[in-house]
Amino acid sequence: MAESNVRPRPTTWATAPNRRIVVGSNTLVYRDLGPENGVPLVLLTHLGATLDEWDPRFVDALARDRRIVALDLPGVGGSTGRVPGTVAAMARAAEGFVAALGLTQMDLLGFSLGGFVAQQVALDAPGLVRRLVLAGTGPAGEPASTVRRVEPTSTGTWLVPRWPAPMPRSSCSFPALQRARRQPRLTSCACASA
């Protein structure tokens, strides 16, 4: 009987190896685990975080019944290149990664800055994002009354903020974020499934 060279897919964060894929001029590091059925969930993390910042218990729970893909954007962790200077550039890098993997649809979970990036991906490529999950993405302390409903879609209802005043200044030393605060942008939203 011939031996199979096909390795079983990893089912836990601890057993998922770091993989690499070339996207443009960068080599991005990612982990891919869980059953390869259905629509995959792509994870984008917070400012300065690497793949190792994800809580294995959280990712393992997600990976019980679906494919999970988490990545380091350019210039972060094991990925080569420079950190993109804008959220839009980070979103383009994430979109390039998804295209290089051959994904045609995904659910997208963004945590903190990853949520900003996830929102931009959803705006740039709405047909690519089936569901959008945002965690810790908006400015702290914003009341629910600052959210307005916009057009329902086949995959959910998009909610976007309406802030009458600009975001408060912070002591953030990340120059791209300081520049982004001076530009009009979508800063936070939530998507409730239909």
Side-chain angles (χ1 to χ4, degrees), residues 14-85:
T15 61
N18 285 351
R19 298 175 184 213
R20 288 169 175 70
I21 190 167
V22 175
V23 179
S25 61
N26 298 313
T27 300
L28 302 183
V29 173
Y30 69 102
R31 290 190 192 157
D32 191 344
L33 66 148
E36 204 163 10
N37 58 358
V39 176
L41 175 64
V42 175
L43 308 179
L44 301 173
T45 194
H46 61 87
L47 175 66
T50 67
L51 289 175
D52 293 325
E53 307 303 321
W54 287 107
D55 184 336
R57 295 169 298 179
F58 174 70
V59 178
D60 290 352
L62 295 172
R64 281 190 197 122
D65 60 358
R66 68 178 314 165
R67 181 180 180 189
I68 303 298
V69 181
L71 77 141
D72 281 341
L73 289 171
V76 177
S79 294
T80 65
R82 298 190 61 174
V83 175

Side-chain angles (χ1 to χ4, degrees), residues 56-142:
R57 295 169 298 179
F58 174 70
V59 178
D60 290 352
L62 295 172
R64 281 190 197 122
D65 60 358
R66 68 178 314 165
R67 181 180 180 189
I68 303 298
V69 181
L71 77 141
D72 281 341
L73 289 171
V76 177
S79 294
T80 65
R82 298 190 61 174
V83 175
T86 66
V87 169
M90 291 176 194
R92 285 191 299 275
E95 292 164 20
F97 168 78
V98 168
L101 281 183
L103 301 178
T104 57
Q105 191 174 49
M106 67 178 163
D107 292 342
L108 191 54
L109 184 152
F111 176 60
S112 190
L113 179 61
F116 285 61
V117 176
Q119 291 168 71
Q120 188 65 52
V121 170
L123 289 170
D124 292 346
L128 182 62
V129 180
R130 184 182 73 144
R131 290 203 171 103
L132 182 62
V133 180
L134 304 172
T137 300
E142 283 298 321

